[in-house]
Amino acid sequence: MTQPVRVAITGAAGQIAYSLIFRIASGDMLGKDQPVILQLLDIPDSLEKLKGTIMEIDDCAFPLVQGIIGTSDAEEAFEGVKYAMLVGARPRGPGMERADLLQANAKIFSVQGKALSSKADSDVRVLVVGNPANTNALITASNAPKLDPKQITAMTRLDHNRALSQLAAKTGAHSTDIEKLMIWGNHSASQYPDLTHATVKGKAASSLVDQEWVEKDFIPTVQQRGAAIIKARGASSAASAASSAVDHMRDWAKGSDGQWVSMAIPSDGSYGIKPGVVYSYPVVTKGGQYEIVKDLPIDSFSRGKMDATDQELREERAAIEDLLK
Ligand code: NAX
């Protein structure tokens, strides 16, 4: 039988994890033949709730689940893990300034970066979902000296999937008919969903939709989708966030079959985005690695949007610079 792999999920008592854990346990992320040991982390105040989630995992009698650990100790949660999904984060409290939120999360993710560095498998793949995800990934990497920063990524796959679904609806196509769509930059309202290179059933998307729709509808709808869901559902996106986290890790582990997907990764100077931030790029994944799609022509409209979201990431970085190693 295939050896089980250890998967850590933080924020395990929360609403995204409530969907994510069950998708992983049923084999949607790593395959129906890959047993898993689930290592679930939450804060002490949430451990009772986590106990309830673990009871439910037990009650599913999942064939692939070979063990479950529930803990509030990051080192215990990250021991030997090959995959770590960092979902738990400090939400913005009443009257909390953005800088305070960045600082509070930077503290959490410095602790988790250190614990990953000392305890996780040296080949671990890390996905940060908890917001502000890009900057939390930056701080995690800077506190994980034994890991390559390329091992630590942040999630913009939900934005990518939202963009696919908007373009599919507009063009009367299915999301699987669309290729070469991408999200640039930050997982925030400054992100740039870019369809200038996209195709729908092989035809240029830009020939099927007009620029006014792109600017007044498509881009703002994708950017503001999280807020629209909160308004409608009375709670933030959870199942769709979990599904996108599964997509991100599955493609990273098993390859994207030549498809372009969006991942927030350490900037390396590509497309004029200087090193120093975690920026969403179009990538192709293969053999457990990702590569940025290179040499795309960038028009002046896109350039402005790509630089604006980079600027926001530089400002986030400045707010937590003291905690970077
Ligand atoms: P919930 O508030 O339901 O759950 C968060 C859980 O994290 C709680 O159980 C809490 O106790 C735990 N937690 C807090 N601090 C922790 C720490 N230091 N270590 C371990 N666990 C800790 O939030 P949920 O709806 O699950 O969202 C989780 C995070 O995902 C939030 O930061 C949210 O903003 C972010 N999102 C990111 C998305 C993305 O695309 N990157 C989209 C969805 C979501 O908004």
Side-chain angles (χ1 to χ4, degrees):
M1 178 159 154
T2 316
Q3 283 297 310
V5 297
R6 294 175 184 273
V7 181
I9 298 150
T10 78
Q15 56 149 4
I16 293 177
Y18 191 69
S19 178
L20 178 62
I21 294 169
F22 296 84
R23 296 281 307 274
I24 297 171
S26 67
D28 286 351
M29 187 169 91
L30 298 174
K32 303 283 179 196
D33 53 358
Q34 177 57 65
V36 291
I37 296 172
L38 300 168
Q39 305 195 168
L40 309 178
L41 179 74
D42 213 302
I43 53 174
D45 279 355
S46 298
L47 284 184
E48 189 58 28
K49 192 170 170 204
L50 179 58
K51 208 162 117 190
T53 302
I54 293 175
M55 288 160 73
E56 286 207 72
I57 306 168
D58 283 337
D59 292 351
C60 291
F62 285 116
L64 292 175
V65 175
Q66 298 290 319
I68 310 170
I69 296 164
T71 178
S72 59
D73 174 358
E75 296 205 342
E76 189 185 354
F78 295 147
E79 178 80 53
V81 295
K82 276 208 176 287
Y83 300 93
M85 332 267 290
L86 309 187
V87 180
R90 174 81 188 273
R92 196 173 193 149
M96 201 174 183
E97 295 294 332
R98 188 169 167 75
D100 300 335
L101 181 74
L102 282 157
Q103 277 277 335
N105 277 294
K107 286 186 191 121
I108 294 173
F109 286 85
S110 344
V111 171
Q112 296 190 357
K114 288 186 187 85
L116 279 165
S117 188
S118 64
K119 295 290 173 184
D121 186 285
S122 60
D123 196 33
V124 65
R125 286 174 176 71
V126 181
L127 168 62
V128 178
V129 174
N131 279 321
N134 301 50
T135 298
N136 289 342
L138 180 71
I139 199 118
T140 305
S142 94
N143 283 278
K146 290 194 196 153
L147 303 180
D148 181 337
K150 282 190 85 176
Q151 289 173 256
I152 297 163
T153 63
M155 187 164 93
T156 48
R157 186 62 176 266
L158 177 56
D159 309 297
H160 180 101
N161 288 342
R162 287 167 171 169
L164 284 176
S165 108
Q166 292 301 316
L167 182 58
K170 177 70 178 173
T171 56
H174 189 266
S175 59
T176 52
D177 297 326
I178 298 171
E179 293 185 293
K180 301 183 177 171
L181 192 60
M182 65 201 67
I183 303 294
W184 299 99
N186 200 2
H187 167 68
S188 75
S190 78
Q191 66 176 270
Y192 172 42
D194 179 4
L195 57 63
T196 53
H197 311 280
T199 59
V200 183
K201 294 184 187 159
K203 267 197 197 152
S206 52
S207 69
L208 301 170
V209 297
D210 58 56
Q211 187 60 16
E212 192 180 346
W213 177 78
V214 173
E215 289 180 33
K216 299 220 167 105
D217 201 331
F218 173 72
I219 295 174
T221 300
V222 176
Q223 289 173 331
Q224 303 296 336
R225 186 70 163 180
I229 286 173
I230 294 176
K231 193 161 172 248
R233 206 174 87 85
S236 57
S237 338
S240 55
S243 193
S244 300
V246 165
D247 289 348
H248 178 118
M249 276 303 202
R250 183 202 56 229
D251 285 351
W252 193 1
K254 294 174 159 288
S256 65
D257 255 342
Q259 295 296 315
W260 300 7
V261 293
S262 302
M263 284 172 77
I265 58 178
S267 55
D268 65 352
S270 299
Y271 295 102
I273 308 301
K274 289 196 255 358
V277 293
V278 171
Y279 191 92
S280 180
Y281 285 100
V283 300
V284 172
T285 57
K286 198 178 171 187
Q289 309 297 329
Y290 56 79
E291 290 294 335
I292 297 175
V293 176
K294 299 274 188 189
D295 301 326
L296 294 170
I298 303 295
D299 62 23
S300 63
F301 177 79
S302 296
R303 187 74 259 166
K305 299 263 177 223
M306 288 162 68
D307 289 346
T309 188
D310 181 31
Q311 181 57 33
E312 184 186 52
L313 283 167
R314 307 271 159 196
E315 286 162 18
E316 288 187 10
R317 182 190 162 106
I320 49 92
E321 192 85 44
D322 54 320
L323 289 166
L324 291 175
K325 300 269 169 212

